[in-house]
Amino acid sequence: MHIHTPACPCFIIPSSMLRKLAIQADGAERQRLLEQLERSAFLRGQRAASGLAAPGLLVAPGVRHRTVYDAHHGTRLPGKLVRTETAAPVTDTAVNEAFDGAGTTYDFYQQILKRNSIDGRGMGIDSSVHYSKRFNNAFWNGRQMVYGDGDGKLFTGFTHALDVIAHELTHGVTQYTVPGGGLVYDGQSGALNESMSDVFGAVVKQWHAKQTVRKADWLIGAGIMTPAVGKALRSMADPGNAKLTWSGDDQPGTMRGYVEGGDVHTNSGIPNHAFYLAAMKLGGHSWDKAAPIWYQALSLLHPDATFADAAQATVKAAELRHGAGSGEAAAVQGAWHEVGVV
Ligand SMILES: [Zn+2]
């Protein structure tokens, strides 16, 4: 048996992007952004301590159990309890957005993938908002979601983008679904971990908006940043789109651009683009065929899975769902071939 490093904390904003933004800032602003980077590195070092959540009680499918806490700009988690499942909306928008986004994501997993919450056993979904001061990130820490407010200059907050919320919750789903405790957050398995979160982040957003694969924008993180930073974090349709952000999107879309030793948010562009291509080939809504295939593939992976393993697992899942030699299996195989993985 291998001993695997737990997978998270997993962030939405890559540290490489925050570093570039810090470098172009000046004086106190630069200092503050660099301190936030150190804070993220510190949290990553703490991951062994956060560990896996205790298995939840088995709760009946369809019963949501959400709680939202206010960290009051501190870093102690979870903070003060401010909203529970049965409580009415409060005056704090971030609290309500975190609550509603968790609910939509829960509903997607329940209704479309027949999964009962993050752990498949009805686990409560806990979120903390107002984490730290002007914190430019959101993350899943291994047991709960954590949202900064953004500094207002670069990022405007992280709770108002449904794909960001679904991205973070999916880190939890991956952790509980890939046999062996998730996908190690480093190298290709780390990029796959990030990609799975982008995939289901995008699909939940499309499902909520009832968009076809052709209508969807395939952007991740649109609406969390000021125009000074750009339009969105990443594009699954066009990884490496230089016009997306001021700092430039450094994602490759195929293995030709693979970055040796690259950040998990960089090489994730390759499996992201494979999903986009498969979804376009399969047509209709991404949640009809493409997402269930990718979801089933999670159980066929292992903590150190490579892109080639993901290609094999998704083709296998397509065969299990639609038959060997089916058009669906061929579409998935073709997508991975186009990005140069197989
Ligand atoms: Zn992530």
Side-chain angles (χ1 to χ4, degrees), residues 153-286:
K153 258 183 104 170
L154 302 172
F155 294 93
T156 55
F158 299 91
T159 49
H160 42 263
L162 178 57
D163 53 346
V164 170
I165 293 176
H167 173 109
E168 294 306 335
L169 277 171
T170 299
H171 279 307
V173 170
T174 297
Q175 170 185 318
Y176 280 100
T177 310
V178 174
L183 291 163
V184 175
Y185 205 53
D186 189 33
Q188 288 200 6
S189 58
L192 275 179
N193 193 331
E194 265 308 308
S195 176
M196 288 297 179
S197 280
D198 277 354
V199 162
F200 290 99
V203 173
V204 170
K205 184 171 92 167
Q206 292 171 20
W207 178 69
H208 188 64
K210 301 182 173 67
Q211 283 174 332
T212 63
V213 293
R214 278 170 215 291
K215 270 273 157 64
D217 64 12
W218 294 96
L219 296 176
I220 301 293
I224 62 168
M225 53 187 69
T226 64
V229 179
K231 194 177 167 201
L233 292 171
R234 311 182 262 280
S235 166
M236 297 178 70
D238 183 19
N241 181 324
K243 288 186 230 126
L244 273 187
T245 67
W246 170 88
S247 60
D249 167 14
D250 61 358
Q251 286 196 317
T254 73
M255 287 305 282
R256 269 192 305 280
Y258 185 80
V259 181
E260 213 52 65
D263 185 89
V264 292
H265 300 85
T266 300
N267 288 319
S268 58
I270 298 166
N272 272 3
H273 197 51
F275 178 81
Y276 162 81
L277 291 170
M280 292 301 277
K281 287 173 201 288
L282 294 166
H285 294 116
S286 58

Side-chain angles (χ1 to χ4, degrees), residues 5-11 42-54 77 123 139-144 146 175-176:
T5 318
C8 288
C10 302
F11 294 85
F42 169 73
L43 287 167
R44 256 179 235 111
Q46 270 195 323
R47 60 190 172 182
S50 45
L52 296 180
L77 292 171
M123 175 182 173
F139 60 97
W140 166 260
N141 78 346
R143 56 178 105 182
Q144 68 157 105
V146 185
Q175 170 185 318
Y176 280 100

Side-chain angles (χ1 to χ4, degrees), residues 2 41 60 67 75 83 102 163 181 228 264 269 291 309 340:
H2 296 278
T67 44
T75 54
R83 191 169 171 191
D163 53 346
V264 292
D309 293 332

Side-chain angles (χ1 to χ4, degrees), residues 178-179 196 292-302 310 313-315 317:
V178 174
M196 288 297 179
I293 290 170
W294 252 246
Y295 176 66
Q296 191 165 349
L298 276 177
S299 335
L300 305 173
L301 294 172
H302 55 88
T314 51
V315 171

